[in-house]
PDB file of all heavy atoms in Angstrom:
ATOM      1  N   THR B  62     -28.420 -89.725  -0.572  1.00 97.00           N
ATOM      2  CA  THR B  62     -27.434 -88.663  -0.740  1.00 97.00           C
ATOM      3  C   THR B  62     -26.479 -88.732   0.451  1.00 97.00           C
ATOM      4  O   THR B  62     -26.791 -89.375   1.454  1.00 97.00           O
ATOM      5  CB  THR B  62     -28.109 -87.285  -0.748  1.00 97.00           C
ATOM      6  OG1 THR B  62     -28.728 -87.089   0.531  1.00 97.00           O
ATOM      7  CG2 THR B  62     -29.161 -87.195  -1.841  1.00 97.00           C
ATOM      8  N   ILE B  63     -25.361 -88.036   0.350  1.00 97.00           N
ATOM      9  CA  ILE B  63     -24.442 -88.090   1.491  1.00 97.00           C
ATOM     10  C   ILE B  63     -25.059 -87.410   2.708  1.00 97.00           C
ATOM     11  O   ILE B  63     -24.956 -87.908   3.822  1.00 97.00           O
ATOM     12  CB  ILE B  63     -23.039 -87.509   1.174  1.00 97.00           C
ATOM     13  CG1 ILE B  63     -23.103 -86.104   0.591  1.00 97.00           C
ATOM     14  CG2 ILE B  63     -22.272 -88.432   0.255  1.00 97.00           C
ATOM     15  CD1 ILE B  63     -21.721 -85.459   0.432  1.00 97.00           C
ATOM     16  N   SER B  64     -25.757 -86.279   2.513  1.00 97.00           N
ATOM     17  CA  SER B  64     -26.369 -85.643   3.678  1.00 97.00           C
ATOM     18  C   SER B  64     -27.547 -86.485   4.170  1.00 97.00           C
ATOM     19  O   SER B  64     -27.856 -86.497   5.359  1.00 97.00           O
ATOM     20  CB  SER B  64     -26.804 -84.224   3.346  1.00 97.00           C
ATOM     21  OG  SER B  64     -27.862 -84.241   2.419  1.00 97.00           O
ATOM     22  N   GLY B  65     -28.194 -87.211   3.252  1.00 97.00           N
ATOM     23  CA  GLY B  65     -29.266 -88.126   3.652  1.00 97.00           C
ATOM     24  C   GLY B  65     -28.755 -89.237   4.548  1.00 97.00           C
ATOM     25  O   GLY B  65     -29.396 -89.613   5.533  1.00 97.00           O
ATOM     26  N   THR B  66     -27.586 -89.740   4.222  1.00 97.00           N
ATOM     27  CA  THR B  66     -26.979 -90.769   5.065  1.00 97.00           C
ATOM     28  C   THR B  66     -26.729 -90.210   6.465  1.00 97.00           C
ATOM     29  O   THR B  66     -27.028 -90.860   7.471  1.00 97.00           O
ATOM     30  CB  THR B  66     -25.644 -91.240   4.463  1.00 97.00           C
ATOM     31  OG1 THR B  66     -25.883 -91.714   3.136  1.00 97.00           O
ATOM     32  CG2 THR B  66     -25.029 -92.351   5.288  1.00 97.00           C
ATOM     33  N   ALA B  67     -26.210 -88.990   6.522  1.00 97.00           N
ATOM     34  CA  ALA B  67     -25.950 -88.373   7.822  1.00 97.00           C
ATOM     35  C   ALA B  67     -27.253 -88.203   8.609  1.00 97.00           C
ATOM     36  O   ALA B  67     -27.314 -88.502   9.805  1.00 97.00           O
ATOM     37  CB  ALA B  67     -25.263 -87.024   7.628  1.00 97.00           C
ATOM     38  N   GLN B  68     -28.310 -87.773   7.932  1.00 97.00           N
ATOM     39  CA  GLN B  68     -29.609 -87.628   8.596  1.00 97.00           C
ATOM     40  C   GLN B  68     -30.123 -88.965   9.106  1.00 97.00           C
ATOM     41  O   GLN B  68     -30.698 -89.046  10.186  1.00 97.00           O
ATOM     42  CB  GLN B  68     -30.639 -87.060   7.618  1.00 97.00           C
ATOM     43  CG  GLN B  68     -30.717 -85.546   7.621  1.00 97.00           C
ATOM     44  CD  GLN B  68     -31.663 -85.068   6.545  1.00 97.00           C
ATOM     45  OE1 GLN B  68     -31.252 -84.887   5.405  1.00 97.00           O
ATOM     46  NE2 GLN B  68     -32.922 -84.892   6.908  1.00 97.00           N
ATOM     47  N   ASN B  69     -29.917 -89.994   8.320  1.00 96.00           N
ATOM     48  CA  ASN B  69     -30.378 -91.315   8.741  1.00 96.00           C
ATOM     49  C   ASN B  69     -29.594 -91.846   9.937  1.00 96.00           C
ATOM     50  O   ASN B  69     -30.133 -92.565  10.769  1.00 96.00           O
ATOM     51  CB  ASN B  69     -30.312 -92.292   7.568  1.00 96.00           C
ATOM     52  CG  ASN B  69     -31.413 -92.018   6.564  1.00 96.00           C
ATOM     53  OD1 ASN B  69     -32.462 -91.469   6.909  1.00 96.00           O
ATOM     54  ND2 ASN B  69     -31.184 -92.379   5.309  1.00 96.00           N
ATOM     55  N   ILE B  70     -28.333 -91.447  10.024  1.00 95.00           N
ATOM     56  CA  ILE B  70     -27.549 -91.810  11.209  1.00 95.00           C
ATOM     57  C   ILE B  70     -28.166 -91.149  12.435  1.00 95.00           C
ATOM     58  O   ILE B  70     -28.359 -91.775  13.484  1.00 95.00           O
ATOM     59  CB  ILE B  70     -26.070 -91.385  11.034  1.00 95.00           C
ATOM     60  CG1 ILE B  70     -25.403 -92.232   9.952  1.00 95.00           C
ATOM     61  CG2 ILE B  70     -25.310 -91.515  12.348  1.00 95.00           C
ATOM     62  CD1 ILE B  70     -24.014 -91.756   9.554  1.00 95.00           C
ATOM     63  N   LEU B  71     -28.510 -89.880  12.299  1.00 94.00           N
ATOM     64  CA  LEU B  71     -29.179 -89.164  13.393  1.00 94.00           C
ATOM     65  C   LEU B  71     -30.467 -89.871  13.792  1.00 94.00           C
ATOM     66  O   LEU B  71     -30.750 -90.083  14.965  1.00 94.00           O
ATOM     67  CB  LEU B  71     -29.530 -87.746  12.953  1.00 94.00           C
ATOM     68  CG  LEU B  71     -28.658 -86.599  13.392  1.00 94.00           C
ATOM     69  CD1 LEU B  71     -29.331 -85.279  13.074  1.00 94.00           C
ATOM     70  CD2 LEU B  71     -28.381 -86.675  14.890  1.00 94.00           C
ATOM     71  N   LYS B  72     -31.257 -90.226  12.783  1.00 92.00           N
ATOM     72  CA  LYS B  72     -32.539 -90.873  13.040  1.00 92.00           C
ATOM     73  C   LYS B  72     -32.329 -92.173  13.806  1.00 92.00           C
ATOM     74  O   LYS B  72     -33.022 -92.479  14.758  1.00 92.00           O
ATOM     75  CB  LYS B  72     -33.235 -91.145  11.694  1.00 92.00           C
ATOM     76  CG  LYS B  72     -34.694 -90.710  11.663  1.00 92.00           C
ATOM     77  CD  LYS B  72     -35.260 -90.842  10.258  1.00 92.00           C
ATOM     78  CE  LYS B  72     -35.384 -89.492   9.558  1.00 92.00           C
ATOM     79  NZ  LYS B  72     -35.527 -89.612   8.098  1.00 92.00           N
ATOM     80  N   LYS B  73     -31.313 -92.919  13.376  1.00 91.00           N
ATOM     81  CA  LYS B  73     -31.067 -94.212  13.995  1.00 91.00           C
ATOM     82  C   LYS B  73     -30.704 -94.074  15.471  1.00 91.00           C
ATOM     83  O   LYS B  73     -31.215 -94.804  16.316  1.00 91.00           O
ATOM     84  CB  LYS B  73     -29.923 -94.912  13.249  1.00 91.00           C
ATOM     85  CG  LYS B  73     -29.469 -96.230  13.855  1.00 91.00           C
ATOM     86  CD  LYS B  73     -28.392 -96.880  12.973  1.00 91.00           C
ATOM     87  CE  LYS B  73     -27.770 -98.094  13.646  1.00 91.00           C
ATOM     88  NZ  LYS B  73     -26.582 -98.567  12.903  1.00 91.00           N
ATOM     89  N   TYR B  74     -29.826 -93.122  15.777  1.00 90.00           N
ATOM     90  CA  TYR B  74     -29.322 -93.043  17.139  1.00 90.00           C
ATOM     91  C   TYR B  74     -30.116 -92.096  18.031  1.00 90.00           C
ATOM     92  O   TYR B  74     -30.077 -92.212  19.250  1.00 90.00           O
ATOM     93  CB  TYR B  74     -27.843 -92.643  17.139  1.00 90.00           C
ATOM     94  CG  TYR B  74     -26.950 -93.762  16.660  1.00 90.00           C
ATOM     95  CD1 TYR B  74     -26.426 -93.753  15.375  1.00 90.00           C
ATOM     96  CD2 TYR B  74     -26.664 -94.841  17.489  1.00 90.00           C
ATOM     97  CE1 TYR B  74     -25.621 -94.788  14.930  1.00 90.00           C
ATOM     98  CE2 TYR B  74     -25.862 -95.882  17.046  1.00 90.00           C
ATOM     99  CZ  TYR B  74     -25.342 -95.854  15.771  1.00 90.00           C
ATOM    100  OH  TYR B  74     -24.564 -96.881  15.342  1.00 90.00           O
TER     101      TYR B  74
END
Side-chain angles (χ1 to χ4, degrees):
Chain B
T62 63
I63 53 173
S64 67
T66 303
Q68 270 175 273
N69 287 334
I70 292 171
L71 259 191
K72 228 173 256 162
K73 175 176 172 190
Y74 288 103

